[in-house]
């Protein structure tokens, strides 16, 4: 491709600064994402996943990479809009991708190493500290969890990932979440067996499809909505010397569960998306339902085991993670979008993190190759340079999105990080940041 990475990223980032034009394009009814009988607006002003905080994170990173080009000014325009929205309407949750933690992360990325937005960030941290106990108490009373109680997207794992940016200031919140994770991981009686408390019964399924596919309930093993997120939070807290009783045993239990429930076939060993209750009883996985993405499948699981292996100094976990990630990055099963969550950017960035953690040159080469592949999706005629591609390989649906999860911000941040190394902690949104 003739256009350089910097030129591509900066051209698109400038387009994203036209607020009214951006809203007009995203909010057009033809851009609503169709899921079953529902149409979902792919823009949510205050969400890191689909809104302005993602653009603030992008401009914060650009400001660090290219400090004399005014990116911080563009970011500040959006931070002012975010502040105004919160003042007028409040916030929906504490979560990373749709709530206050994501707004806090956006401000951190724009803060020039903590020099700016100090009061704003401090106020967010204080609200989280004040409210997290009530949330945890509510979750503990539930007989079984929903995935968004504890997951990276909407649950306490995502909130913890943000709090870990402030290990002293937010130690109370971190400790409460760690205790919840340890408690959640205790075995409980399910039908005629004992099983880990992160089991999700059919009535707590996220969707009708989940209920159909796993009618007896399941254990979610995707990084976005499942137990790898819990594993990463426990390990990262341990690295920061934040401990609760049972933490090490819980790390071991989660990791061993993931090791045990690999899919093994002629291709090698890799991970699916869920483990059914029947599979848990049988001790092995039969369903090969998977994709090779950050959200679900091998890349996210492998990363969690890599971090666990390094934290516990367990080489077998590291070896398992490395071989799984090599397989996934070659196979790229069900990967056809340039986006982060379930697309090429997520795989490319995890390869980049594998290289940083292992120094294995294969991962560096693969990250750069995938970054080049991502750039091939770029089209100057697209409003935001890239389209998010949903649907399937056979029936692709194209959408204009700007957020971190499935939009252009996540793609551009990935390209910048692989080319130049990252300068801000935007990747803690995906639980991929070095601690």
């Amino acid at each position: 491709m003739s256009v350089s990475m910097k030129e591509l990223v900066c051209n698109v980032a400038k387009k994203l600064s036209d607020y009214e034009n951006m809203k007009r394009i995203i909010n057009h009814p033809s851009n609503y994402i169709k899921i079953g009988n529902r149409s979902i607006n792919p823009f949510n002003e205050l969400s890191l996943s689909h809104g302005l905080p993602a653009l603030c994170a992008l401009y914060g990173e650009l400001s660090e990479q290219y400090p004399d080009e005014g990116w911080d000014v563009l970011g500040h325009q959006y931070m002012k809009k975010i502040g105004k929205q919160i003042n007028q309407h409040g916030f929906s949750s504490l979560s990373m991708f749709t709530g206050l933690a994501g707004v806090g992360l956006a401000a951190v990325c724009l803060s020039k190493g903590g020099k700016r937005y100090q009061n704003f960030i401090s106020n967010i941290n204080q609200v989280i500290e004040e409210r997290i106990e009530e949330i945890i108490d509510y979750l503990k009373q539930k007989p079984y969890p929903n995935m968004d109680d504890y997951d990276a997207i909407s649950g306490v794992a995502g909130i913890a990932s943000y709090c870990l940016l402030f290990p002293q200031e937010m130690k109370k919140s971190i400790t409460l979440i760690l205790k919840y994770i340890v408690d959640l991981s205790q075995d409980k009686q399910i039908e005629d067996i004992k099983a880990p408390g992160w089991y999700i019964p059919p009535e707590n399924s996220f969707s009708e499809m989940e209920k159909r596919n796993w009618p007896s309930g399941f254990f979610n093993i995707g990084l976005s909505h499942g137990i790898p997120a819990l594993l990463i939070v426990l390990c990262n807290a341990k690295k920061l010397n934040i401990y609760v009783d049972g933490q090490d045993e819980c790390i071991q239990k989660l990791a061993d569960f993931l090791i045990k429930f690999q899919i093994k076939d002629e291709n090698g060993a890799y991970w699916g998306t869920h483990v059914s209750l029947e599979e848990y009883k049988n001790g092995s996985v039969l369903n090969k339902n998977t994709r090779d993405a950050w959200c679900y499948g091998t890349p996210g699981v492998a990363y969690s085991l890599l971090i666990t292996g390094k934290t516990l100094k367990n080489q077998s976990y590291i070896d398992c993670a490395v071989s799984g990630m090599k397989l996934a990055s070659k196979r790229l099963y069900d990967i056809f979008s340039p986006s982060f969550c379930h697309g090429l950017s997520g795989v490319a960035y995890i390869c980049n993190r594998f290289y940083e953690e292992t120094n294995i040159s294969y991962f560096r080469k693969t990250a750069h190759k995938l970054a080049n592949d991502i750039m091939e999706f770029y089209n100057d005629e697209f409003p935001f340079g890239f389209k998010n591609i949903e649907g399937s390989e056979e029936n692709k649906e194209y959408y204009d999105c700007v957020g971190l999860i499935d939009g252009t911000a996540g793609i551009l941040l990935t390209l910048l990080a692989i080319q130049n190394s990252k300068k801000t902690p935007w990747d803690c949104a995906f639980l991929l940041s070095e601690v």
Side-chain angles (χ1 to χ4, degrees), residues 65-307:
Q65 300 269 0
Y66 312 115
D68 302 322
E69 297 183 9
W71 298 109
D72 54 335
V73 178
L74 296 181
H76 184 60
Q77 297 308 310
Y78 282 152
M79 280 305 301
K80 286 194 292 188
K81 289 185 185 298
I82 289 169
K84 188 176 177 184
Q85 285 272 346
I86 291 174
N87 286 336
Q88 287 178 346
H89 307 295
F91 51 89
S92 60
S93 73
L94 302 186
S95 75
M96 177 63 85
F97 277 105
T98 57
L100 215 51
V103 173
L105 176 58
V108 169
C109 291
L110 263 176
S111 71
K112 289 289 179 184
K115 298 186 189 75
R116 299 178 182 174
Y117 305 108
Q118 290 174 338
N119 289 341
F120 184 73
I121 293 166
S122 180
N123 288 339
I124 285 174
N125 295 357
Q126 189 177 341
V127 171
I128 293 173
E129 284 276 284
E130 288 169 356
R131 300 199 180 189
I132 192 69
E133 189 165 8
E134 183 185 344
I135 291 168
I136 297 287
D137 286 345
Y138 165 73
L139 296 180
K140 281 183 172 179
Q141 289 168 17
K142 296 175 66 172
Y144 296 102
N146 293 69
M147 71 182 192
D148 55 6
D149 294 346
Y150 65 76
D151 71 6
I153 302 289
S154 305
V156 297
I159 298 168
S161 190
Y162 172 73
C163 294
L164 286 164
L165 295 173
F166 307 92
Q168 299 310 315
E169 182 186 338
M170 304 197 75
K171 191 171 183 180
K172 176 192 143 194
S173 295
I174 296 164
T175 302
L176 283 169
I177 293 171
L178 295 178
K179 285 179 178 173
Y180 167 73
I181 294 171
V182 171
D183 287 348
L184 180 69
S185 300
Q186 302 307 307
D187 284 353
K188 60 174 64 170
Q189 194 71 31
I190 299 164
E191 295 181 359
D192 55 343
I193 57 159
K194 283 193 179 302
W198 57 74
Y199 163 77
I200 295 177
E203 62 271 19
N204 287 14
S205 295
F206 177 69
S207 65
E208 287 303 315
M209 187 184 78
E210 270 192 344
K211 206 177 281 190
R212 282 196 307 273
N213 288 347
W214 296 280
S216 300
F218 57 84
F219 306 85
N220 191 310
I221 60 168
L223 176 47
S224 59
H225 295 300
I227 63 172
L230 304 180
L231 189 51
I232 292 169
V233 167
L234 292 169
C235 288
N236 285 346
K238 181 178 168 73
K239 284 188 207 168
L240 293 168
N241 295 314
I242 303 174
Y243 294 98
V244 298
D245 288 345
Q247 188 167 335
D248 284 350
E249 294 83 356
C250 189
I251 291 171
Q252 195 86 51
K253 183 174 184 174
L254 285 156
D256 288 345
F257 185 96
L258 293 172
I259 294 286
K260 182 174 184 178
F261 291 103
Q262 293 177 88
I263 300 167
K264 293 179 179 173
D265 62 19
E266 65 279 1
N267 298 310
Y270 55 98
W271 286 273
T273 63
H274 301 66
V275 175
S276 71
L277 187 60
E278 291 80 9
E279 288 169 330
Y280 179 79
K281 289 177 180 178
N282 295 334
S284 63
V285 181
L286 302 173
N287 184 340
K288 294 187 179 182
N289 183 51
T290 193
R291 73 189 315 168
D292 290 322
W294 168 78
C295 55
Y296 279 107
T298 298
V301 180
Y303 179 80
S304 75
L305 286 170
L306 174 67
I307 296 307

